[in-house]
Amino acid sequence: VVNWPWHREVLSRGGNIYSRLALGVGIRDITGGYRAYRRRVLETLDLDAIASHGYCFQVDLAWRTLQAGFAVAEVPITFTEREIGESKMSGNIVQEALVKVTVWGVRNRLGKLHALLARRRAA
């Protein structure tokens, strides 16, 4: 990242760390928006079910891609802060992402726990 204010970099790094831990994924920049998806992935995913309004849709789409069994490859880029215009980042966008990532992570972990307990009962 080039020319970002310190608070923006802290928010980005913190959001990525939290999302990786909450969702249990290895994508280093899960909040990033510079992505290319294979047509097969987009045709497989229920894109109408994506209800994220802010930048959270980046996490949402990457998370759904992984949940559908597809791989996500990362290619590093250098992001330079815009010289014209302003960021759309707001407190509401941060709150939406925090709530949704937390809910997805808890549901995922509870689902895995339920499956584990079901296997143990069946054994």
Side-chain angles (χ1 to χ4, degrees):
V1 176
V2 176
N3 295 333
W4 256 12
W6 69 268
H7 64 277
R8 185 78 189 275
E9 191 160 347
V10 167
L11 179 63
S12 177
R13 289 184 190 277
N16 274 297
I17 290 168
Y18 181 76
S19 296
R20 282 197 314 266
L21 292 172
L23 301 176
V25 299
I27 302 174
R28 291 206 31 89
D29 189 7
I30 195 165
T31 65
Y34 188 75
R35 294 214 178 98
Y37 288 89
R38 293 187 186 274
R39 180 179 177 161
R40 184 168 155 242
V41 172
L42 297 175
E43 289 175 342
T44 301
L45 300 178
D46 182 5
L47 299 177
D48 291 331
I50 295 175
S52 303
H53 299 290
Y55 290 106
C56 188
F57 84 92
Q58 306 290 8
V59 178
D60 195 347
L61 195 52
W63 173 241
R64 288 172 189 271
T65 299
L66 293 171
Q67 293 297 101
F70 294 101
V72 174
E74 294 184 272
V75 178
I77 63 167
T78 299
F79 182 86
T80 303
E81 178 67 354
R82 69 178 48 85
E83 294 179 17
I84 300 172
E86 295 180 22
S87 172
K88 297 176 199 90
M89 184 64 67
S90 70
N92 289 339
I93 289 172
V94 173
Q95 182 180 6
E96 176 195 30
L98 184 60
V99 169
K100 287 190 175 203
V101 167
T102 301
V103 168
W104 297 331
V106 168
R107 282 185 187 157
N108 184 51
R109 299 262 160 76
L110 288 176
K112 287 180 179 180
L113 179 61
H114 179 72
L116 176 66
L117 294 174
R119 282 194 303 272
R120 287 187 178 174
R121 280 190 289 255

